[in-house]
Amino acid sequence: MMKMVHRPSRGVTLRVLFLIACFALAMTIYRMHSDPQTQSLSPCRLPTWRDTRTTTTTPQTNATRVTMTTVARTNAARRHLLRQRCQLYGEANATSASSGKWKSRLLVVDKYKLVYCSVPKAGNTNWKRVLLSLLLPSGGRPPETVSFHEAHHSPSLLRPLSSYPSDDQQSIMRTYYKFVFARDPLSRLLSAFRNKVLGVGGVDDNHRKLLVPLLMRGRGDVGDAWTEFRRKPPTLAEFVDYVIQCHERRGTLNVHWSPVADLCNVCGVDYDFVGKMETVADDARFVLAVHGLADVVVYPERRDTGYEAAEETAGELRREYQGIPARDLAKIVAMFAKDFDVFNYSLFDHYV
């Protein structure tokens, strides 16, 4: 009996080709912003990694040493690629970072000489829990016992860089260990929609009160927004349309889905570690181990913090975004083109 081979429909194939073309165009436009020299980048060579900072003295198993070495090499490659990509932005990037707003995203932990860039929907709450578990007066508290409110309302312990005098800012940026975590842009946007609009993983009343009426307004005259919301919650397609309209009208994005590259000024700050949510367990363990903290605190798993939403798999992302009109998805990809570029994410992960 002849085996049947599944082939995508012509419509799906054209959609994929259209999105890939848009992705390629967005990348080209971003890379031509500043320097007219558009020569291709040389192949990424992996730099030799050396860390002169204090490392953990805890005896390590062979498996742990292998993991640490692997993460160190991966980090070196990520930083190398980021620097290469950023060279192509030149003055355009300098202009975007000149406002200094990114300094309010950098949280300083003087006790351990750490600077963490706070990125919503990229492990942000858990990183704040980890850092606060080391700093709270009670001491030794497991991160999962640090409440959401404590994590986001402890400015005296997690001070933004912008609150320091100018001379101190320069010293901190020169001598402290700076780290940032990125996340696949489409996964991060979906996470923001689920959490801030649908209330998955805990309802955020402030954002929900703001977003729901705006989203429901897009359906026309539906009467009471909350009644309509309960009748039929917003779809991801409606949320994406709202994000696009806000961006086209105001030129800005909500902090919960603004590009990481802009939030953290990644082309202007020489981050010592560039982590990703897709590898957060190993990456977080590495950052802590480098400072001798791996046996003191552990980055929480989702089930430890009561967050019920499952990690988005490639298949799940594909299903979620298939309902988005190709034109809208192309606009979203263009908005996050810099994150796709400097952090080496690919649209192929979702649609091919």
Side-chain angles (χ1 to χ4, degrees), residues 227-304:
T227 300
E228 177 67 10
F229 174 83
R230 285 187 288 270
R231 183 188 74 82
K232 185 181 179 182
T235 64
L236 179 61
E238 288 176 312
F239 177 68
V240 165
D241 180 64
Y242 162 77
V243 170
I244 291 170
Q245 288 190 43
C246 286
H247 185 260
E248 290 178 345
R249 282 199 220 109
R250 305 187 202 127
T252 59
L253 291 169
N254 183 288
V255 68
H256 289 89
W257 48 85
S258 288
V260 179
D262 295 334
L263 284 179
C264 298
N265 188 22
V266 298
C267 289
V269 175
D270 185 18
Y271 285 96
D272 299 282
F273 190 86
V274 179
K276 290 187 176 184
M277 280 303 295
E278 293 77 12
T279 53
V280 67
D282 288 339
D283 289 355
R285 189 181 305 117
F286 179 90
V287 170
L288 295 170
V290 164
H291 295 84
L293 299 171
D295 291 332
V296 178
V297 64
V298 176
Y299 185 89
E301 296 184 16
R302 287 193 172 210
R303 62 174 177 268
D304 294 331

Side-chain angles (χ1 to χ4, degrees), residues 187 190 194 236 309-322 349-351:
S187 173
L190 175 60
R194 287 175 168 174
L236 179 61
E311 283 285 358
E312 296 87 0
T313 64
E316 186 179 2
L317 284 168
R318 192 177 297 115
R319 286 191 301 274
E320 290 282 356
Y321 280 97
Q322 277 180 345
D349 296 338
H350 304 289
Y351 284 94

Side-chain angles (χ1 to χ4, degrees), residues 79-324:
R79 294 180 68 225
H80 180 62
L81 177 66
L82 190 150
R83 285 194 297 269
Q84 277 192 319
R85 296 291 194 242
C86 285
Q87 286 177 2
L88 299 176
Y89 298 128
E91 291 302 318
N93 177 70
T95 300
S96 66
S98 61
S99 68
K101 289 182 179 179
W102 55 273
K103 292 182 180 180
S104 66
R105 307 302 312 172
L106 269 57
L107 304 181
V108 180
V109 184
D110 289 307
K111 182 177 179 179
Y112 297 100
K113 296 188 181 299
L114 294 171
V115 175
Y116 163 62
C117 186
S118 171
V119 178
K121 314 315 300 176
N124 181 47
T125 300
N126 277 347
W127 265 116
K128 288 181 176 180
R129 283 176 167 137
V130 166
L131 298 174
L132 286 171
S133 72
L134 298 167
L135 298 173
L136 286 170
S138 53
R141 283 177 59 184
E144 55 269 23
T145 67
V146 177
S147 70
F148 181 89
H149 182 82
E150 284 177 299
H152 293 282
H153 298 88
S154 299
S156 62
L157 294 174
L158 296 177
R159 286 183 60 186
L161 180 69
S162 57
S163 69
Y164 287 78
S166 179
D167 289 347
D168 289 348
Q169 290 184 26
Q170 294 179 32
S171 176
I172 288 168
M173 295 301 284
R174 187 173 60 252
T175 60
Y176 283 24
Y177 186 95
K178 301 170 290 295
F179 66 103
V180 59
F181 272 72
R183 182 176 183 175
D184 178 288
L186 295 187
S187 173
R188 184 165 166 251
L189 185 65
L190 175 60
S191 177
F193 166 67
R194 287 175 168 174
N195 179 227
K196 302 304 175 186
V197 177
L198 300 184
V200 176
V203 176
D204 185 335
D205 285 331
N206 290 331
H207 278 86
R208 217 177 188 192
K209 287 177 182 176
L210 170 68
L211 291 170
V212 167
L214 293 173
L215 288 167
M216 295 299 95
R217 191 183 303 164
R219 295 180 181 176
D221 186 10
V222 295
D224 181 69
W226 290 99
T227 300
E228 177 67 10
F229 174 83
R230 285 187 288 270
R231 183 188 74 82
K232 185 181 179 182
T235 64
L236 179 61
E238 288 176 312
F239 177 68
V240 165
D241 180 64
Y242 162 77
V243 170
I244 291 170
Q245 288 190 43
C246 286
H247 185 260
E248 290 178 345
R249 282 199 220 109
R250 305 187 202 127
T252 59
L253 291 169
N254 183 288
V255 68
H256 289 89
W257 48 85
S258 288
V260 179
D262 295 334
L263 284 179
C264 298
N265 188 22
V266 298
C267 289
V269 175
D270 185 18
Y271 285 96
D272 299 282
F273 190 86
V274 179
K276 290 187 176 184
M277 280 303 295
E278 293 77 12
T279 53
V280 67
D282 288 339
D283 289 355
R285 189 181 305 117
F286 179 90
V287 170
L288 295 170
V290 164
H291 295 84
L293 299 171
D295 291 332
V296 178
V297 64
V298 176
Y299 185 89
E301 296 184 16
R302 287 193 172 210
R303 62 174 177 268
D304 294 331
T305 56
Y307 191 80
E308 300 298 331
E311 283 285 358
E312 296 87 0
T313 64
E316 186 179 2
L317 284 168
R318 192 177 297 115
R319 286 191 301 274
E320 290 282 356
Y321 280 97
Q322 277 180 345
I324 310 298

